[in-house]
Amino acid sequence: MKFRVERDALAEAVAWTAKSLPNRPSVPVLAGVLLRVTDGNLQVSGFDYEVSSQVTVEVQGDADGATLVSGRLLAEITKALPAKPVDIAAVGAHLELVCGSARFTLPTMPVEDYPTLPEMPVSAGTIDAAAFAAAVAQVAVAAGRDETLPMMTGVRLELSGGTLAMLATDRYRLALREIEWNPEDPEISLNALVPARTLHDTAKALGPLGGQVTMALSQGAAGEGMIGFVGGPRRTTSRLLDGANYPPVRSLFPATQNAQAQVPVSALIEVVKRVALVAERTTPVLLSFSDDGLVVEAGGTEEARASEAMEATFSGDPLTIGFNPQYLIDGLSNMGTQFAVLSFVDAFKPAVISPVGEDGEVVPGYRYLIMPIRVSR
């Protein structure tokens, strides 16, 4: 195998593929990226039996072939190379990389020991890449991090006709985003639970490429339990989580509301960050709403306290409610609008944050529910 490639294209391809490699691989070859040159195209592949990543780059190919080399080491090297064409050749049990006057020799691993990447499932439809990335970012923030509860670490995709709904919860907050997409089958009705981290990393990588992302999802055929995404020269597949017993979380959204506040998003984020400086990790910030506006308070150990007043438009009986400050900031940060509406039943029921458009109306499609923390005052 021998080829020449532009430094930036190589570094980007290797970095993206290496990002999904395991930190502690069960077998050494899974820490590698597979470089395969065929007919002037370089395929950079990574696979850990859960997630596969592959990107295709045009190269000047002198000799076709394949080699397997440490992914993270190659990513660090290619990122540090000077901005010049890179010559790569497999020589015996080593990979030689030359860029300008820089020369690296890396040990390779046996290609024949590397597992075959899974086939892409059947295409289910396409979605705008930028809209997909933005929607996933809004929802994935609410997914759980506790690996002992794998179901909570996923984002549930609900495909129903031309609507794609995404849901995620860690039991303390819940995010729901609904967007339009272009299904292959207008009557499609499928659910899938995708690992949140994989979905977020994939959407974040495919979003800036623009165009359309193809979503591939097995429908009881070969490759069941897999989902795939293709955008530009990049493709990735992931095993699905078992979502058979996913709780009916939509029912958590209150059917009614007794109070509502409209707040400037960036201002409230800054106030919560400042006030929370005195709070312990498990200490909530208190939001007190009245006709006069909003007061944000927090108390920590050794009598450290903080409070700050800010403008807010409030309707309903005066209300004081406590929230985990980071969960509140996460929700506000993903509104994507200048103003947001907080809807309340009472101080002990979940509150719902929704984005507000320039016309003062709630923007449909995104809701972020957050559980309050009971506070004795």
Side-chain angles (χ1 to χ4, degrees):
M1 185 191 76
K2 188 177 182 183
F3 64 92
R4 170 174 277 207
V5 61
E6 291 300 318
R7 194 285 305 258
D8 288 352
L10 177 65
E12 196 175 288
V14 174
W16 181 69
T17 306
K19 190 173 181 182
S20 59
L21 296 178
N23 290 320
R24 295 191 182 94
S26 54
V27 287
V29 291
L30 296 184
V33 292
L34 183 67
L35 307 179
R36 186 183 297 278
V37 175
T38 314
D39 299 330
N41 284 313
L42 166 67
Q43 280 188 337
V44 184
S45 309
F47 184 38
D48 67 353
Y49 291 115
E50 297 289 331
V51 179
S52 78
S53 305
Q54 190 175 77
V55 59
T56 304
V57 181
E58 287 187 10
V59 298
Q60 295 175 28
D62 294 330
D64 290 356
T67 191
L68 184 65
V69 66
S70 167
R72 288 207 158 78
L73 180 58
L74 186 61
E76 289 175 8
I77 290 170
T78 53
K79 181 181 175 183
L81 291 174
K84 294 178 181 179
V86 185
D87 290 299
I88 293 180
V91 181
H94 291 86
L95 183 76
E96 292 190 353
L97 186 152
V98 179
C99 181
S101 58
R103 177 183 293 271
F104 292 87
T105 302
L106 307 178
T108 58
M109 294 177 274
V111 172
E112 59 272 17
D113 291 352
Y114 199 70
T116 304
L117 266 66
E119 291 292 321
M120 184 65 64
V122 181
S123 171
T126 60
I127 187 169
D128 179 78
F132 175 61
V136 171
Q138 287 181 307
V139 173
V141 70
R145 312 281 192 275
D146 184 356
E147 297 295 338
T148 62
L149 295 169
M151 192 184 297
M152 296 291 120
T153 66
V155 173
R156 179 176 165 92
L157 305 183
E158 297 179 349
L159 289 61
S160 178
T163 301
L164 167 61
M166 304 183 192
L167 295 126
T169 180
D170 61 2
R171 300 180 300 163
Y172 304 106
R173 60 223 174 125
L174 163 64
L176 166 64
R177 180 74 166 97
E178 293 179 332
I179 52 176
E180 293 180 357
W181 76 306
N182 310 303
E184 298 276 350
D185 174 11
E187 302 296 316
I188 192 169
S189 180
L190 275 178
N191 299 325
L193 190 61
V194 188
R197 186 179 162 207
T198 301
L199 184 64
H200 182 258
D201 288 348
T202 300
K204 189 176 178 181
L206 298 181
L209 298 178
Q212 298 284 310
V213 170
T214 298
M215 191 185 307
L217 193 60
S218 51
Q219 301 177 46
E224 189 168 11
M226 297 279 295
I227 191 167
F229 300 95
V230 181
R234 298 178 177 183
R235 52 154 275 185
T236 188
T237 66
S238 172
R239 281 186 181 274
L240 296 175
L241 297 169
D242 180 8
N245 298 314
Y246 199 78
V249 291
R250 283 176 183 261
S251 61
L252 292 174
F253 287 104
T256 59
Q257 59 186 43
N258 296 324
Q260 197 173 64
Q262 183 168 311
V263 296
V265 173
S266 57
L268 180 53
I269 290 172
E270 292 304 315
V271 169
V272 171
K273 283 181 179 177
R274 275 195 294 272
V275 170
L277 291 173
V278 300
E280 298 280 301
R281 241 187 105 183
T282 55
T283 306
V285 291
L286 295 181
L287 277 63
S288 297
F289 294 95
S290 67
D291 293 339
D292 297 328
L294 167 62
V295 177
V296 182
E297 305 170 77
T301 54
E302 299 177 6
E303 304 303 315
R305 300 200 64 79
S307 69
E308 187 168 343
M310 61 175 286
E311 289 185 5
T313 307
F314 181 72
S315 59
D317 293 333
L319 175 79
T320 297
I321 190 166
F323 294 121
N324 176 305
Q326 190 55 55
Y327 293 173
L328 182 58
I329 290 168
D330 287 345
L332 291 167
S333 299
N334 283 287
M335 286 295 122
T337 53
Q338 191 176 348
F339 290 91
V341 159
L342 284 76
S343 304
F344 309 99
V345 177
D346 58 42
F348 309 108
K349 299 270 183 13
V352 178
I353 310 175
S354 308
V356 172
E358 293 181 3
D359 58 0
E361 297 294 320
V362 171
V363 179
Y366 183 54
R367 288 183 289 170
Y368 182 91
L369 177 145
I370 179 170
M371 304 294 285
I373 299 176
R374 289 174 179 259
V375 181
S376 56
R377 301 190 67 186

